Amino acid sequence: MLLYITLGLLVHFVFFASIFDIYFTSPLVHGMTPQFTPLPPPAKRLMLFVADGLRADKLYELDEDGNSRAPFVRNIIMNEGSWGISHTRVPTESRPGHVAMIAGFYEDVSAVAKGWKENPVEFDSLLNETRYTWSWGSPDILAMFAKGDLRSHIFTESYDASSEDFGAHDVTKLDTWVFDHVKEFFHAARNNQSLFSKVNEDKIVFFLHLLGIDTNGHAHRPSSREYSDNIKLVDKELKEIESTVKDFYGNDGKTAFIFTADHGMTDWGSHGAGHPLETCTPFIAWGAGIRLPQKVSAQKFDDSYLQEWKLENWKRQDINQADVAPLMAALIGVPFPLNSVGIIPVDMLNTSDLFKAESMFTNAVQILEQFKVKMTQKKEATLSFLFTPFKSLSDTKQANILRKARYYIKQKKYDEAVSLCRQLIHLALRGLAYYHTYDRFFLAFNVVLGFVGWTSYASLLIIKSHCNLMRGVSTEAKNPSRLLPCAFGAVGVSVTFFLLIQACPWTYYVYCLLPLPIWYAVLREIPVIQGFVTLLSTFPPRRFLGYLLLFILGVEVLVLSFFYRYMLTAGLVALAAWPFITALWTRAKSISLSWIFFCLLLAVFPLMPVVGRKPDIFLVVGAGLLVLLLSLFVVTSVIKRKDSFINEELVLHLLQMLSVMFSMCVVYGTHHSLLKKQGLPLLNQIVSWTILASSFVMPLLSPPVLFDRLFSILVSSMSTYLLLSTGYEALFPLVLSCLMFVWIHMEQETLQHSVVSCKQKVSTIQFACNTDAAQCRDLCLDDIRRAFFLVFFLVTAFFGTGNIASVNSFDPSSVYCFLTVFSPFKMGALIMWKILIPFVLVMCAFEAVQVTTQLSSKRALKKRGPGKIELGRKNTK
């Protein structure tokens, strides 16, 4: 049994890791030559302002009085610069957003797993190419671009990480800190000759990261007064910084300014997914090299933002977030970041047509260099007769386009040159994607082959250990041919040699060789397969077809529920009808009514808004009161059931009830403290962590009686879940658990008229009885239904109150009882535990179902006589 568990964990770990290895590998390549525009740049310096978490609509729209929240920015849009929307990509998080803007490429998901304070992969950025860079802001962001600075030319100044407190009285101090230090910097430069000479060099960047808006959005929502006031503050300080810089440089006209954001934010204060509120960020550029505003009579976009913002007469120029990097590089004349996939928006440049054409040509060559390196790497790692090149961009076509573009530039046909270079860039980007995913189908096929094999093997083990299928199978059929291991060994050697001559990574060996031992183990169970097929052939065709169609329908509901939550409601309504199609309605009417009631009650949750959109602290407190009432009822029933109540058990129940009461008090107190902007009380924080720690210990102290242990797990889990709840989701585990308790009784009633002669009360069954294999039975059709119920309830547990596949479905305020200072790993761990609590409740209930229906999960094969295997003792009716 231990061997199977170890193998199962290992195999599933490989399958899980393959997701990141196949679909989320780094797109970066190395070995390219730096490329820069061979003409004098329009700007000597650039100031980059990034307002973290700033939504485009909140900056551009007018307030209820018809006034702009950012009058300085609006004045720039109408009189001084270019503007538009910068479209970000998923995940809409701070790190990927800043990498896209400053390095010009979209970072893979593996960066999230590697952390916020280090570079999981080495990459080039605009800041690397500058002569000097000064940056101010959050330590989480600035450290990414300063790491590996061999020339010591990137200077950072950041506040302490503890300042990033969602519960602070005034989080706009994060932005005022940045602006104050920038002003002090320029003041100090006037009196420091060494610093003065550095800031007067060319090719320099000043980077200001502004975290206050994002923090206010998380803490108070983007519709709050705090969020709007923070925008007003940033706008006011932008005006002062521009004035300070212009005065410092004597209005030399050589400073370019860019103001944008790394991501937006949903109405409920989260980000991470692909909602337009998260992916649409503002982009405003002005100063040296930037085109002045263009008045237009009409513009065509797929949205209605222009009319809503009253900006329909000023030309809007949308860009992709990665386009910011080549634009900044062209403005100050530094090489484009080596891994950039951005396309320079030449229509924003206020330069000569020659400069635009040369910049676009440089951009095309820089991206083409990546394509060539990627193609060479893949070609060298693939056998020549198996290599399939990207046919849309052959070597000849590359040379022809470059030669033709250069000819157009010499002939001063700049628009044609720009158009041709843009065409080459799009082809090169398609080629990069082609080679980046070149092995994806091959690897995915092997992983699927291994997964199907493992599923088949696990199913055969269950059938073998719980069904008596070997009686009609001959001894010869039970002994597999000796050619089988030889054949699989030969295939393994061939696959290894094939991978070896191509110098494939070691992970390729794992994915390609893992299916071989799995399928070998499957084929060794041919007698079981034959017995199972024989068993299926005994079913009447209509009945078999009916079961098959029902199975397909159930699987379809599960699949659709990943995309449409209301499918879970449909499934639960269907499950509510289960007693009517069985004898349960007549044999156990009260239990059947309870089943119907809780199925329909649970079916309401998938129809509710995703967690976090409408917080309601009173629903959380109400859920706690229901848990306390239920606990009192259980304690009373236990006292009546037992002649002598054990003191230790009474103390445990009271402690768990006390824990729930503390959770309610902490939730209520923390909520009001944060509303008053007094921060998270230390006492509340200590109590919260204590309750979390005790929730893992309390259930272990409860009696091994099934009902007592399950209820102890529920109360301990609820005490923690209340602390992590912000609204109606606090009721979800309670309703789910009630349904699980009813399910246990329903399954016991179902088994009563099938194979088991005696019936124990749930309140008297102990988990220890699961270890007695002699009392266990063989599989039946109801066990397949139970397995489906388990999977359906697990999916419901995960998606009942939100979509765990979407980062933004969970409100960060759900962890405010534990901490308010930004800590992605601690917050992520707490949110993950909140997700897992319903899952744990369902799994515990299923284990209880196995116990009550006398189906052992630890059953061993018993040999009886030579050449014959009998699988346990069959119970009599």
Side-chain angles (χ1 to χ4, degrees), residues 397-414:
K397 189 169 185 177
Q398 297 173 31
N400 289 338
I401 293 177
L402 289 175
R403 184 169 56 251
K404 196 172 183 180
R406 179 52 66 189
Y407 171 77
Y408 281 149
I409 293 175
K410 288 183 179 180
Q411 294 297 316
K412 297 184 179 180
K413 297 180 179 180
Y414 301 122

Side-chain angles (χ1 to χ4, degrees), residues 519-534:
W519 278 104
Y520 172 70
V522 170
L523 294 180
R524 282 180 58 88
E525 302 296 339
I526 285 291
V528 181
I529 299 175
Q530 291 176 344
F532 185 64
V533 172
T534 303

Side-chain angles (χ1 to χ4, degrees), residues 31 599 803 845:
C599 277
N803 181 2

